[in-house]
Amino acid sequence: VAKKVKKELVARGYKVVMVRTKHNVNISNVERAKVANAAKADAFIRIHANSSESTSVSGALSIAPTGNNKYMRKASQKFSKKMIRKYCAATGAKNRGVMYTDTMTGINWCKVPVTIIEMGFMSNRAEDLKMASASYQKKMVKGIADGVDAFLK
């Protein structure tokens, strides 16, 4: 999905720097944040799929730093709100809102606006299968790119 998001964002006129382009890359969350910081990114998107012990949990959420975070908290909170709204509008996913936390190193070390988009729950079989389908991935890509547009334009 991240590679497809890159392609869509480039088509919309953005310069995109990828932290990684393949699986099993040995890079810490702090190092990922440092890549975004060094690039002086206008926005840093961390793309994830969620999981829960309950297989019935579904929907998407975004994650942002709390008001106590010393870096980019207000910009990141604004970005996260716009991202989840646009993502859910494009996909039809249940909007689980924004989760605020300072327990994630990839957020805590970011000096640029950052959001984590949890696209859905892999632990929910129906949602996992949907996220694996090309047609739904197009909707996810559109939602993420629309979230970037809403934040930066």
Side-chain angles (χ1 to χ4, degrees), residues 90-119:
T91 62
K94 176 182 177 181
N95 186 336
R96 301 183 68 85
V98 179
M99 181 177 104
Y100 299 96
T101 183
D102 291 326
T103 63
M104 301 195 164
T105 54
I107 289 176
N108 293 347
W109 285 78
C110 252
K111 296 177 183 176
V112 299
V114 59
T115 190
I116 296 176
I117 179 71
E118 296 283 0
M119 303 177 295

Side-chain angles (χ1 to χ4, degrees), residues 11-153:
R12 293 184 186 200
Y14 294 101
K15 177 186 173 193
V16 177
V17 175
M18 300 287 283
V19 170
R20 65 182 181 93
T21 56
K22 57 186 177 184
H23 295 295
N24 300 324
V25 174
N26 188 16
I27 181 170
S28 74
N29 287 330
V30 172
E31 290 171 308
R32 293 167 203 253
K34 287 180 177 180
V35 168
N37 295 341
K40 295 182 174 34
D42 294 321
F44 181 31
I45 312 157
R46 307 219 26 216
I47 300 172
H48 290 208
N50 216 336
S51 185
S52 173
E53 288 184 18
S54 170
T55 59
S56 66
V57 177
S58 66
L61 63 103
S62 61
I63 304 174
T66 72
N68 297 324
N69 191 289
K70 64 182 178 179
Y71 300 122
M72 300 309 272
R73 68 182 182 274
K74 288 183 181 177
S76 295
Q77 290 172 354
K78 179 180 175 186
F79 185 24
S80 294
K81 288 174 188 172
K82 290 182 180 289
M83 178 59 71
I84 194 60
R85 192 167 46 247
K86 292 295 186 178
Y87 180 84
C88 290
T91 62
K94 176 182 177 181
N95 186 336
R96 301 183 68 85
V98 179
M99 181 177 104
Y100 299 96
T101 183
D102 291 326
T103 63
M104 301 195 164
T105 54
I107 289 176
N108 293 347
W109 285 78
C110 252
K111 296 177 183 176
V112 299
V114 59
T115 190
I116 296 176
I117 179 71
E118 296 283 0
M119 303 177 295
F121 283 79
M122 295 183 301
S123 50
N124 180 305
R125 181 169 167 69
E127 198 159 77
D128 190 34
L129 290 170
K130 193 171 13 175
M131 287 189 292
S133 76
S135 62
Y136 192 72
Q137 285 182 5
K138 285 181 184 177
K139 293 176 183 179
M140 292 190 300
V141 167
K142 180 185 183 324
I144 293 169
D146 288 352
V148 172
D149 280 348
F151 176 63
L152 293 178
K153 294 186 176 178

